[in-house]
Each structure stands twice: as structure tokens, then as C-alpha cells.
Amino acid sequence: MVFLHQQNPSRKRPSSFIPPFPQPKIPKSSTTTTKKPPQSQNEAVEDNQVSPSSSSSSVDKLVSILADAGCTLINPSGPPCLPSDHHKFRNHLNRLFSSSDTAPALRSDFLSGFSSYINLQQNFRRVLAFSKRDGFGAKRSESLVKQLLLVPAIQLDLQIMLLEKLPEYFDTNSVDSRTTLSLEDDVARLIIDQFRWLDFVVDPNTFTDKLLQVVSICPLHLKKEIIGSLPEIIGDQSSNNAVVDSLEQMLQEDSEIIVPVLDAFSNLNLDEMMQEQARCYVISTAISCIRTIDGEHIPNLLSFLLLSATPQNVRRIISQIRQQLTFVGMSNSSRSSQQRKLKGKSLVDNTEASILDALRSSLLFKNMLCQEVLKELSSVEKPQDHKVIDIWLLILIYMNGKSMQKSVEKILKKKIVESCIREDMIDQCICGNKELVQDYFPWFLSLSEHLLACKEQKARDFGIHIYICLFGEFGDTYFRQEVLGALVTHVGSGVSFEVNSSLNTMALLASKYPQELIPLSAHINGILDYLEGFCMEHLHKVYEVFSKLALAARSSTYCFGSSIADELLMIIRKQVSHPDMKYKKMGLIGTLKVVSCLGDINNATRASPSQKSNCEEALELLRTSLDSCKQLCLPLVLFYDELTTIMLHKKLQPEIVEWVGKHAGEFESKFLSDLQAGQLPGEDSYCGLEGELWMNLDGDISPICLSILSLSSSSLQSMSSLQVLPANFLLLSAVERLTNQGSLSGIDALLGCPLHLPSSKYFSEAGWQSLTAKQKQIVCLSLYYAANWIRELLNAFCTQVTGRFECTSQATQMDIIVKLLKRLRNLVFLENLLNNCIKCHPLSLPELHLQVDNSGTLLLNKANNRVHFEKKSEHKKTQDNKHKKTSKESSSDPNGKLRQPTILDVLRKTGAVTSQDVSNDSQSSKGQTFIPADQDSCNSTGLISLEVSAVAKALEAQRFKFRPLHVQCYSLLMFSNNQKSCCLDPAVELPLYLYLLRDLHNKLDYFMPPGKQFSATCLSAPAGFTRMTLQEFLSNVRPLFPNLRRHFDNAIFVLKEGDGTCEDHWNVHSASAGNPEVASIVFSKSVVSTLVFKEVLHSFSKMLNLIDVQMHKSVLSDLLEAFQPREVSENVFSGLQQSPSPGTIEYLYLGASSFIEDALDMACSFSFMLASESLLTLESVVTSVQTVLDKSETNGKGIHSPSIHRILPNLRSRLGTSAQKLLSHNWDSEHLENGWKNKGEIVQKILQIYLENSESKSDLLDKLACSILPAVSSSGTTVEDDHLGFPTLCNATFIVWCRVLHEGNIAILNKLVKEIALFMKPRAAVQIEAVEKHLIKIQKSVNVVVSLVNLCRTHDKVTVRAMSVKYGGKFVDSFLKGFDFLQAHFQTHNELIIQLVTELQKATRTIQTLCSEAKGSKQTAITSKIPATKRSMERFLFRVKALLHSTSSGCTFWMGNLKHKDLTGQVVSSQAYADDQNNNVDEDLAEAVEEDQPVSVASEDGETE
């Protein structure tokens, strides 16, 4: 299109029209005066009737003029007939109306006649309609009006005439019916259509003004039509300012026209300034219309916004779209109803699908948008600010390519872990939106696969939820097969947590959709291929899935439903009968899992007359399983334990309970013997050993005893039934509780009955030496089985005193409590005695529960692994510090040569050797055993001396084989039997509580997050503990919080009292519990109290930092309230603007910290280790507050209190003060427990706490490194011990102090580097004062490293020098990261920066000397660190060189060879100078200048290194 002004040719099609003569002026009458058109056809007829002559005359002239030009206006058969040569036709009319003398009159008559002619609507339609050429052909052509508009002389008059006719046809079409009218029937649209794509416009400004006037009064649908067509109508004008202004005004008045306005602005030809102005305005308006615009227009609106985004406004656009777009915010019911309405329609008709498609295409078109969306989502922190659209945006970006998928996965996982994206949001995305999600199904599935493979539990739970939603929403076989296939792939990954999560998903699907899974069972069977690699927990999940499917299949109508159950039963029968223990284990777990489903009382229905009932099938499976493992101990133990679990957690059918009770009733005949007057009727010898009744709590009235000795002696020749004893009793107690309303009164005689064990005389020195290896083995096994029997007694009967059952009287409960405490005393005695026996006769104890991995090797629990790790670390340190001693203790061959210790040697020392090894050695030498790890245990006093509080180290290596104590046993911490003693001595029962506290500590380790040294995939939980959740554990432990405090107070009381109380109490209580006098009891009250002190603090710290405790206010309050001081001092609230109210979380935290501070003050007078444990506990309190605060900020609301952040500085300050107190305390040698030996780690931790919680870490480091440490001489004494203030700083701890200060200094420098990196960002406002402040901080850090490195001049330890080389190189590395900052501000702070460089040079020169001397003396501890350090210093050298050469300050850089000097500054001979001084420019490091050269920034030789 072109605009014709004074013979300007058309720019688009120049050949289409060239006016042959200038354009004449249009008469004013024709342009300014126009009759008002009639409003209807009737009115037009009336007007014609009023002046028929004038109207007829003008029309006749019109017809005549057109006829002369070759056009037939009156055509009864249709629209006017135009000539074939349109160009000739238009030229003729243009010459006629512009060249002749009568042109103005002709033009006036023509326009008047045309106006009269189109007054009739029929005529108007004819001239607007398509014409036929010459009336002969059927070829369609443009309308007459369109041709007349291309005549320059009359174009503007016709345009105005048509626009003024337009309002007459506003109401001919209603809004509801307009969509049904075609273009030919809609006169208003036909008029607008005439203006499109004209070759030229004579007077565009006048025409545009008139058009915009008409648009302002048009109805909405026609207004949208005209606005959307503006670029086609007005074309490429030189200035469209009026159009832009008019559209902006109309947009303010009516936001519904936003979409056509957007289209118009996108296509109008505007200059850059106008285009930017229009874009800004329209984008702002478009953003404001997102929420209010019709749904059908949202896709266009979003596409415009996203494609119009620039780097300046893209974040604003994305943010507003996130906030205002609520297309997925409908409820599930409304979405479901919408889906039903859309049923049968294409997806294109779905508004939500169109919106997603628009977003996806925009993101795909502009890669910048994907990056900015991810940045926007990352910047949103509060959970309430996240919306469903965020998930869709992540999905759309995830679809766009692999390059962005990693970023999407990372952000999604982070948001899920922080609880920002929740499961209800994914429900809104998927549930009820099958048609919408169908195209995105693979991507949802892919993301769920990634989430299920994450280490974070929250991410895996979210992935499970997505799988469940996808399976439930998509009922088609294809989609469900894809879901199941992905889950089976997870199962085969071999990663423990991933396998566990996928099996949990399968179990949920089997519970929720069992009938739907039956036809797809072939896709689930792939799990069975991985059975051999599953642990027991995974096996339970697998068989739970198949058991539920089998149960559903038995009542299924599918023809292949029963085959699933038959196949499962066939598989588990084969596994049960398999001789390999691995497969038998699988079969037993599968059998009992099927029994739990079929035997459930709610499933007691018969599937069909031809099938066995569920109960009959379950009983048959039980019999088959029992018969297959009767002759095998461990499978039978597993059978009993699994059956016990089912009995306690499932309500089984009466027939099954009766069968189990009948079988469990055989316990008496297997393991018990009758007594007469409290004695066995006959005394027999068992393999030459005499027996004796131990631990009889019922006295002569006891009718029975447990026959341990006889069964132990017979177990060496055949299968030991004692291995099954604990599991059998556990099953018996479960049956008794189920059938007796929770009471164990039917078997209460077992609690007090004696144990038949080897005579106590064998535990004397002479008696033990008289035993053969076989007899010693019987003795050890008897003690082992006795200890585990008592463990199960505690597990069973502690359920009677926890208040859960009201069937027992108060007197009965008190009697049970007394007996339980005595049994606990028996257990402590037996395990200590067994520990001593194992030391002298190493023996591999039999397992009492099946806990094996895939290849049959033993799995150690976390506590056991921790012990081994600590032993390994301790052994490694001992080997480093005492190399000579270790060499002497190494094993030697018969020739006397040293040899490397073997694995068997290590196992022998720990007591963990195989029974076969023991039997082989016993055959070769009677009475000879392996050399124990502790020689003192087998000397003249070894066996007859038992230390009650000592850790049974020989047993710890095999602790995983013991039967576990259940959580209910911790209820014994609530009770005491000390009231009947001669005097109240709390120490007499502390060993019992210590035993329980150690077990509690080990179980807490299971719930703590795994550390780096322990992989979660290779560790198993304590036996019998895998199925307990943390919530269940806390519900059992929560009532014990006050009792932990009580025992802690008792321990402190005993420590304060010392040895003033009665010392025979333990022996008295031990005798009352039936413990024989077989040994001299070593009972140190201070040791026991110290250990109880430590264990209570350990347990408190671990529970305080459990996530579930921190997230539940009531549990956290109870725990903190238990450790409150009796009176809170006002000093606790110092520094707080407002003291917290009693009972609030802040108050409880402050009170607990005050209580621990008091304990620390008390511990300083007793033990350094107790004081350090108190400090670590105080640190855990601060850590807990920080974690609670972080969780509150992450979740967007205060979980406990919004003002908890106010107490954090107070707690940190008090923590730092406490750490300083420990470091500055003058410890006596009796309080240090072997002096400072092996206390490096705890001193390091205390010093780190002191630094991290000081007011100014930088100032404190400067003080310690530059003033305190240099005063310590190499001999370990300080110059002025009384004035340094740190007695803990000595020769033994000097290396630890150096290491901590080095690491702290580097941490400070790294923090400074991050801060100054913000100054380097664009648009960062940098103030000179801030720059100078940071340079001063860097100067302090440089001073610290120089001082620490120069310590090597007075301390010649290799470790000190190695640290200087290692940490010196790391410091230079960190320093270089901030070098750009120094370079940017060199002009304004050149003196300070030069001072930094020259000061650091002192350290680098010392490091250079250390490297040279280490190479010469071949000190490998140092040389291994030299390459990295040298690289760092070389980089530093050249960065300084580049800095000085790039500045205009006149500084130059000179680099030469350093003189070879030692640490004292003496020049030493060097091969480097003797060979070639010119070719060897500082081989180790290209240092700068000679040391004796003066330093001058302005000099030619300004040195830097």
C-alpha cells in the first residue's frame, strides 16, 4: 500500500497505477456537506419519494458515467459488471473527474448519484459484493466500491461516505448471531473489507482521523474487527502517532479490545521511539488484563507478552504472568465438569491446552525466556508464593530440550525439599485433567523418575505421589504400562533408597488399585527377577504387593485372575523348600506375607466352591513353612519372628490364632524343666560340666527352670534349640497377650524362674584353667543364651508396666517392676561375665535372628559400624604416632621376620573368629586359645574381676547377633527399687540406667542422618527395629524425658558426693537378684556417674536435632522443659530487649542452655571430657535453634514462634564464652584423663566453637595468631604462662591450634572474597569507605597467615611445616579469587594494596624455603603438598606483575633469582647457582627480588614476591 500525495507513486506496486495528471482539489461542498444517511431502508424510500426527480437525475448521471467507462451498474442478475481492464476503467474516471473543465461538477454529480443509489440497502450490497467481468464469464473480481476507491479524484469522498454509512448497520447483527453470518451477509464487515490492502491512500491523515472517530462508536465485535485490520487499512504511514494515541485511549476505556490492539501494535509501522513507548504502555495494559480477559484470548495475550519481552522487562512479565494467570486454579469438580463438556471436542477447543501451547511455543522460540523463568522461580522463597503454574512452567521448559532439563530437575527438587511445591499442587495439575495432561505424560513420568532416584526423602515421596496420580488418572493400558515399567526400572537400579521408594509405590498401587493391576500383572512380574538382590525390608514390600494382588485375584472375575494367586503360591513353595538359605528366607517372608493377607479376619470369604477358603489356604502355607525349617535354626527363628509381627499387627482369623497357640504351647516341653523344692531332681554332668541354678527370683516356690546348660552341651553335636528359644518365647508371649486381653499372667512364672547354667566355680582362675576348649565354648554359649533370654523377658513383660493394659492390678505391676529391675541387673552381670570369657576364649557367637545380605555375609548395624570406624581411626592414629611400637607388636613368622598382619589376626584380636577356627585350634592344643586383645583379662585377676560400667568391647563386635531390646524396655528408666536399701544411694542403680541409655543412644544413631563415613545403602537397622518409624519411636520415648533429667541429676549428685556413700550396695542388690558370687565386682561410682552424665547429654543432643522433634512444638517443648534449671537467672536474658514469657520456645531454649552451662561449670571441677561434652551439647542447642529458624523461614511461617531469631545471638555469645572458659581453664592432671594425649580432636572442636561464636572472628584470629601462638616455644612452654590465658595451648595441642587457625583464616578470606564479588557486579554502588574497610579486613587475614607460616622458624615439627605449605597455598588461591577487586581499586588505594602484596611476600618466601628444604631432606609429608602450592604462588606472581604493568603509577616489575637461604636467613650453597644462574630462574618458584633489596613502590625494582 502507498499513500498518494501530489502524484507520489505507489511504493508497493509502482506499476499498478500512475496518475497521468495532477490531482485536482476536491470541492468543499463534496467534502464538507453530506446529507445524513437514512437509518433504515424505509426512510431511504421515503426520501426518494420526497424528491424523486433530483434523486433519479443524479442516479442517471451515475449510471451514464459508469457506462461510458465500461461498467454496467444496473445488472438484474447480480452485482455491477466491471470491464475486464480495471486499470483502464480507473484511468478513465480519474481523467474525467480531474482534467476537464467540468470535472468538479461531474465529480459532484457522480458522488451525489452514488450516495442516492446506495441509500437502498439492496443497491449498497450490490456495489459492495464481488462483480463479474463484462457479464460473460463467471470469474469473480473485486467489487465496484473497491475499484472506485482506487480512483484518486474521488477516493477520500468515497471513504468518508462509506464510513458515515457504517453506523446504519451496527445493529443488523447481534453479538450472539454475528458468528453465524458470512462476510457477504454482513454489510458492516463488507464496508471495512473495502478499505483493506488499497494500493494507495490519497489523504491518509484525514481518512485515519475519520476512521478512528467511527471506531470509537462501533459495537465491540466490529471495533475488534476494525482495530485488528488497522495495519491492513492505513498501511505504512510515516507517522502513526495519532493511531497509537487513539488506541491507547480506547484501551483505557475498554480493556476487552486488548487482543486486536496487540495485533495492531505488532504490525503497525512505527518509529523506534514510538514503538518503545507503545510497547511499554501495551505491555503494562496487557499485564493488567491477564486476570480479567476472556479465556479464549489468553493464549494470544501471553504469546504477545512473552515474545515482546526484552532483557529489561522479562522478569516483570514472567512475574506478573505467574501471579495473575489462574487457568489451573479451578477446583477439581469444576475441571471435571469442564472436561465432560469438552468431551468429543478437539484439544484445541480447550482453553487450558491452548494456553499451555502458547506458553510452550513462546518458550521454545525465545531461549532467554527459559533462563529467566528458572531465575524467577529460584528467587521465590516463600511457600505461599508458589502456584500451580510454576509446575507447568517447569514441565514446559523440561520439554524444550536436554540443555535445560538438569536445571529444571535441580530447581524442582529444591522446591520440593523446601516444601514450596506440595502434593496438592500436583493434584491440581493432573487429577481431573486427563486430556490436558495426556500430551505431557512422558515429561511428568520423566520428572517422577528423577525424583524417585533422589537421596532426599521428601523428593522421593513427591515422586511416589506423581506416579500414583498418573496411574489413577490415566486408565488406558498404554499409560499404566509406562508407569509400571518405570517403577520396575527403579527396582532394578540396585540403589537401596530408590528400590525402597519404588516398592512403596507398588504397594500403594496394589492397595488402591488391585483389580486394575491384575490385567497388568505380567508387567509387574519383572520385579521377581531382582529378588536375590533385595534386603529383608525390600522382600517384605515385594511380597506385600503380590499378596494383595493374589487376594484380589481370588475374588476377581478375570479369567486369568486365579492364575496370579496360583503362580505366587507356587513360587513361594519352591523357595521355602529350597536348600539354599537365601531362597528359603525369601520363601518364608513371602509365605507369611501371604498368610497375613489371606488370614486377615476381614478377608474370611470363600472365592468359589472349587477353591479352598482363605483361612484353609493360610493354614496350609503355615504348615508347609514350618515343616521346611524345623531342622534349621535361623529359618525357624525368622518364621517365629515374622509370625509374631503378624500376630501383633493383624487381626487374624480364630482358626489361625488357635493353630499358632497350639504350636507355641510346645515351648514348655522343649526348654523347661520341673523343680522340686527349688532344686533339680537329679544332678547330671553335661560334657563334664556341673550345673547350678542361677538368678532365681521366686525362691523355693518356683516350679520350673530354664534348661540352658543341658541344651547348650547338646547343641555342639546337633542343631541348638536354644537359638530358637528367644523367638519362640516372643511368639508365645504374643499369643498369650492376644488371648488374655493383653495380660501375661498365664506365663508370669517364666519371669522369675531360675536359669540352669554352669557352676559358678568355673569362673575362678583355677576353675577356668581346668576347662577344655569345648567346655569353655559351652560356658560361653550358656551365658550368651541366658543373656538373650533375659532380653526377651524384658521385651515381653515391660509391656505390662507401661500403662497400656488395665487387666493387671497395681500390686501385680509393682511385683513385675521389681522383677524386671532385677532381671536388668542379671543382664548387666551376664554380659560383663560373657565379655570377660570371650576375651580369654574368642568365639563366634551364633546368630539369634536372621540378618544376612545377598551373599550371606553378616550385616552390621550402625552402632557396630561406628565402633569399628572409631577403632580403625584410633588404630591409624596410634600407628602414625607410635610407629616403632606398632612395628614391635607386629606378627612374625617362625623365622623371626616381620610380616603384615592378616585379616584373621585382626578378627582374633576383636574376638570375631569363626567357630571352625576355634575348633581347629582346640584340637591342636588343649586349653590353648587365641591371644586376646587385652592381656590383662586372662591374668591372675582377669576372670574374677568385673567392671560393671565398662563397655563390653569384646561383645560389641558381635552385638548385632543379640536379640534387640524393644523400645518398651526404656520404661524401666522410670522405676527404681532403691527404697528398700539401707540408705538411699542413687549410684546403685546407675549402672542399670547406663545400660539402657547406651542402647537408647545406639537406636538414636539409626534415626540420625547418615554421615559421610557410613553409606545408607550398606547399613542395616538394629534387629527388630526396621519397621518402627521415628514418630512411633518418639511417642514411646517422650514420657521418659523427665527421667533422663532425674538420672542426670543423680549422676551429678554422686560426682559431688564422691566415695562417701555405702560401697556394698551393688553387691547387696546383685545378690538379691540371684547373681552368683563368681567374681569381684569393680564398682566405681565416679566412673558410672561420669558415663551416665555423658550418655544423657548424648541422647539429649541427638533427640534435640531430630527433624521430627524440631517440627513438632509439643515434643520439643517437653524435651526442653525436662532440662530446665530449678531457677532461671536474670543473666540468661541479658542482651534481650524483651524477656520471653515462661513456657514459650524461646524461654525453654534459654533455660536449657542455662542448665547445660551450669553443668559445664560443675564439670570443670571433675573432668575435662565431661566439660567438653557439656560444651558440645550446648552447641547442639544453638544448632537446633538455627535449624528451627531455618525451617520457619523456609515454610513461610513460624513453626514455633516468630520471634525465636531474637535469642540466637544471645545463645551464640554464651556458647563462645563457654568455649573460652574451657580453653582458659587451668586443668589439673587428674582431671585430664591421661593428660592431653588423644585429646586433639576435642580441643580442635572447642577452639572452632570459640572462633565461630566470637564477636569478631577476624580480630580474635589476629590476636591468637600474632600474639598468643608465637609466645609458645618449641619445648611446649610459654613465655608467660600466667598471662597468655590459654593453658590448653601446649606442645601436645600446638599443632591442633595451628590447624584450626589456618582453616579459620582461610574461611574468613573466602567470605571476604564473596562479599567483594558483589562489588564487581554491574550497577553495584561501591563506596570508598566500604572498599577501604574490606581491604583492612584482607590485611588482617594476610597478617594472620604470615604469622602462622613464620611459626616454622621456631617450631621445627614436620607437621607444622606441612601445614604451612598446604594452607599457605590455599590462602594464596583464595587471595587470587579477589585479585580483580584489588586491580579495580588500585588507583585509589595503591598504597594499601602494595602493602598487602609485600606483606604476603613474607609468607611466600618462608614457604619457598620450606619447599626447598623438604625436597632436600625428602620429607614426603611436605613434598606431596608442594606442587599445588607452587602453582598457586606462580599464579600470584604473574597476577601481581600484570597489575603493576597495567597501572600508570610508574611502578615496574622486576623478577630475578632469590638467594638460597634457610629459615634462619643464612645463605646456603645451592646447585642452582653453581650450574647455571641464568637458566634457572627460581626452580621452585619464580620469586620477585632479592631479600635484601629495599621495597619501594615507585622504584624501578618494586618487588612483589
Side-chain angles (χ1 to χ4, degrees), residues 25 42-43 90 231 358 416 459 599 832 852 892 908 1085 1093 1114 1147 1211 1226 1271 1314 1368 1415 1454 1460:
K25 293 184 179 180
N42 294 333
E43 292 179 6
R90 296 193 297 267
I416 292 172
N832 277 279
V852 296
S892 61
R908 285 174 178 174
K1085 296 181 181 180
F1093 186 104
S1114 58
Y1147 186 91
L1211 292 176
N1226 194 5
K1314 291 181 180 179
K1415 284 186 176 182
W1454 179 87
H1460 194 174

Side-chain angles (χ1 to χ4, degrees), residues 1403-1414:
T1404 57
R1405 284 183 174 177
T1406 303
I1407 294 174
Q1408 162 63 23
T1409 304
L1410 291 174
C1411 293
S1412 299
E1413 291 189 1

Side-chain angles (χ1 to χ4, degrees), residues 1323-1338:
R1323 299 188 303 275
V1326 183
Q1327 297 181 355
I1328 297 179
E1329 294 79 3
V1331 173
E1332 188 171 353
K1333 181 180 178 182
H1334 280 78
L1335 288 175
I1336 294 174
K1337 290 182 179 179
I1338 297 175

Side-chain angles (χ1 to χ4, degrees), residues 712-915:
S712 295
S713 59
S714 63
S715 65
L716 297 182
Q717 287 78 26
S718 61
M719 184 194 79
S720 175
S721 57
L722 287 174
Q723 280 185 265
V724 189
L725 168 64
N728 199 343
F729 172 71
L730 194 64
L731 178 61
L732 176 65
S733 64
V735 174
E736 180 68 18
R737 277 190 285 166
L738 284 176
T739 56
N740 200 15
Q741 299 179 351
S743 173
L744 294 178
S745 58
I747 58 172
D748 58 353
L750 295 174
L751 179 60
C753 76
L755 285 67
H756 189 225
L757 293 171
S759 175
S760 58
K761 66 180 181 180
Y762 298 124
F763 296 96
S764 65
E765 178 190 355
W768 181 261
Q769 295 297 333
S770 66
L771 298 178
T772 65
K774 180 178 179 181
Q775 290 172 333
K776 291 179 180 179
Q777 185 175 355
I778 294 174
V779 171
C780 292
L781 290 177
S782 298
L783 295 176
Y784 175 62
Y785 291 130
N788 283 281
W789 163 254
I790 293 179
R791 279 173 165 254
E792 287 302 343
L793 284 178
L794 295 175
N795 289 335
F797 283 93
C798 278
T799 60
Q800 306 298 294
V801 298
T802 54
R804 296 182 180 181
F805 307 105
E806 300 179 356
C807 53
T808 56
S809 63
Q810 184 69 22
T812 303
Q813 282 192 350
M814 291 305 300
D815 182 59
I816 292 176
I817 290 172
V818 172
K819 289 184 177 180
L820 286 173
L821 290 173
K822 290 182 178 180
R823 284 305 185 199
L824 182 57
R825 197 174 297 272
N826 296 149
L827 180 59
V828 174
F829 173 80
L830 284 172
E831 290 197 5
N832 277 279
L833 188 59
L834 176 60
N835 180 66
N836 269 18
C837 293
I838 292 294
K839 284 182 181 179
C840 289
H841 185 81
L843 175 69
S844 178
L845 300 174
E847 293 184 65
L848 298 184
H849 55 84
L850 188 62
Q851 188 178 6
V852 296
D853 66 1
N854 314 325
S855 54
T857 57
L858 296 174
L859 283 175
L860 305 181
N861 59 31
K862 285 191 177 182
N864 188 40
N865 276 273
R866 190 187 70 252
V867 171
H868 280 295
F869 181 79
E870 291 173 355
K871 286 183 177 180
K872 183 177 179 181
S873 300
E874 184 177 352
H875 173 69
K876 184 176 180 181
K877 292 177 183 177
T878 306
Q879 193 173 21
D880 292 338
N881 298 333
K882 299 184 177 181
H883 179 70
K884 295 181 180 180
K885 183 177 179 180
T886 307
S887 301
K888 292 180 180 179
E889 294 177 353
S890 300
S891 302
S892 61
D893 60 12
N895 298 326
K897 296 180 179 179
L898 295 178
R899 64 177 178 86
Q900 183 72 19
T902 62
I903 296 177
L904 184 59
D905 295 330
V906 179
L907 292 176
R908 285 174 178 174
K909 289 186 178 183
T910 59
V913 295
T914 60
S915 300

Side-chain angles (χ1 to χ4, degrees), residues 1266-1292:
C1266 301
S1267 303
I1268 304 298
L1269 256 66
V1272 180
S1273 66
S1274 59
S1275 60
T1277 60
T1278 55
V1279 178
E1280 298 177 352
D1281 287 340
D1282 296 336
H1283 301 287
L1284 290 177
F1286 294 101
T1288 52
L1289 176 57
C1290 59
N1291 191 38

Side-chain angles (χ1 to χ4, degrees), residues 175-229:
V175 175
D176 295 331
S177 61
R178 67 180 176 83
T179 55
T180 60
L181 293 179
S182 62
L183 179 62
E184 290 79 2
D185 297 329
D186 194 339
V187 177
R189 292 173 62 200
L190 279 173
I191 294 174
I192 299 301
D193 189 60
Q194 309 304 313
F195 300 136
R196 285 193 176 100
W197 305 118
L198 293 176
D199 292 346
F200 57 89
V201 177
V202 175
D203 191 351
N205 293 330
T206 304
F207 169 64
T208 301
D209 294 340
K210 187 66 177 180
L211 177 63
L212 293 176
Q213 292 176 12
V214 175
V215 169
S216 62
I217 62 173
C218 285
L220 181 61
H221 72 278
L222 191 58
K223 184 183 294 186
K224 293 180 179 180
E225 177 90 15
I226 298 174
I227 294 175
S229 304

